[in-house]
Amino acid sequence: MRSTIPARGRVIAITGAARGIGAAIARELAAAGAHVALGDLDAAAAAETAAALPGTAAGFALDVTVDDSFTGFLDAVEARWGPIDVLINNAGVMWVGRFEDEPEAATRRQLAVNLHGVIRGVRLAAPRMRARGRGHLVTVASAASKLAPAGEATYAATKHGVYGYLSAVRAELHGSGVELSVVMPTVVDTPLAAGTSPGAVATLTPEDVARAVADVLARPRFEVTVPRRVGLLVRLANLLPDRPRTALYRRLVPNQITDSDPASRAGYERATLTDNPGEPR
């Protein structure tokens, strides 16, 4: 069921929005009447995606790994539409394979985009919102914020780091009028997840995540898992002793070393996980 988000007239900035989950979020919110800014390393693709959206949307150049680029993005959005009501940190990259085989460039890139990119976005946007006494910072993280699939060691580390960082910032912003939310989907059908296994749950669509983001904007809360039952299972599993908990996780959580298809991921990883990538997601 479509959310009745009170988005009309709100200024919403989204990182990694040219394609995939970010583009689906932009489409959902633009259709609801928001002014939507699509930031992406591929500025031309962001502009093309924005041009096809209903309502008011525009594409902007954004490299979430560079302070000046992120600041310039926020400034450009505010110059166009006024103060940003919502920042959605969505840009992310993932390398899959045995931890000892991960190239150093892939490790650096995941830390720079997935973790430091979120830290940078919050650090730059939150003070603007706190000064006005309102705002909402939403981060599209992953179920890997709470779980750690084999074959996703660094990716899971970045998502665990994001969860911890946002938890601490939330405590600091308590009472400021600024909301924080972390949305944690399982495997989503995007190039980032190409060739990976969803494990015991069905693969999500980008639109599933977009609806979850729209819902959390309408009903702010800190944690959102998609699908919701995964969050419940994680909480229940954490009540178990180590041995049965480990056995349960082995049944539910995919092993991306044995269950993924490296050939299907090769193009994505070449394009995104070098020191000079073509696009973040």
Side-chain angles (χ1 to χ4, degrees):
M1 184 173 66
R2 183 171 294 273
S3 169
T4 56
I5 172 177
R8 185 165 302 281
R10 298 173 85 186
V11 178
I12 300 178
I14 309 169
T15 73
R19 304 172 179 85
I21 294 172
I25 294 170
R27 190 175 304 110
E28 181 84 13
L29 300 180
H35 302 300
V36 182
L38 290 74
D40 203 280
L41 195 60
D42 189 339
E48 182 178 353
T49 299
L53 297 181
T56 307
F60 297 83
L62 170 62
D63 184 343
V64 300
T65 71
V66 177
D67 268 18
D68 286 348
S69 179
F70 216 134
T71 299
F73 170 61
L74 299 177
D75 288 345
V77 174
E78 293 194 339
R80 187 174 188 122
W81 292 311
I84 294 170
D85 297 298
V86 179
L87 172 65
I88 299 173
N89 289 305
N90 167 73
V93 292
M94 181 171 73
W95 186 87
V96 172
R98 297 182 184 278
F99 69 89
E100 67 265 35
D101 296 334
E102 182 175 275
E104 178 62 24
T107 304
R108 284 196 300 268
R109 189 65 186 165
Q110 289 173 95
L111 291 167
V113 176
N114 300 358
L115 180 55
H116 200 174
V118 171
I119 292 173
R120 180 174 287 108
V122 171
R123 175 170 48 81
L124 293 174
R128 304 179 187 216
M129 295 178 177
R130 180 166 52 189
R132 299 192 304 272
R134 60 182 175 81
H136 198 158
L137 298 160
V138 178
T139 297
V140 179
S142 168
S145 299
K146 296 292 189 73
L147 303 169
E152 297 180 11
T154 299
Y155 181 77
T158 65
K159 299 303 181 178
H160 276 63
V162 161
Y163 183 88
Y165 177 78
L166 295 175
S167 297
V169 172
R170 183 188 183 211
E172 293 189 39
L173 290 176
H174 179 72
S176 69
V178 181
E179 298 278 358
L180 268 80
S181 300
V182 55
V183 178
M184 297 173 284
T186 53
V187 175
V188 185
D189 184 15
T190 67
L192 178 145
T196 62
S197 167
V201 298
T203 300
L204 300 171
T205 67
E207 290 71 27
D208 291 327
V209 183
R211 286 189 290 270
V213 170
D215 184 68
V216 83
L217 291 180
R219 299 186 301 115
R221 54 208 186 276
F222 181 57
E223 290 189 31
V224 178
T225 54
V226 189
R228 182 173 178 269
R229 66 180 179 279
V230 170
L232 297 174
L233 285 171
V234 170
R235 286 194 288 274
L236 289 173
N238 286 338
L239 298 175
L240 298 173
D242 180 67
R243 186 171 295 179
R245 181 174 67 248
T246 299
L248 178 61
Y249 280 162
R250 284 176 176 164
R251 290 177 60 87
L252 298 177
V253 180
N255 182 325
Q256 302 298 7
I257 294 173
T258 59
D259 299 342
S260 68
D261 177 13
S264 298
R265 296 192 54 74
Y268 164 82
E269 292 183 354
R270 280 195 303 271
T272 61
L273 292 165
T274 67
D275 286 324
N276 297 291
E279 61 186 56
R281 173 174 271 174

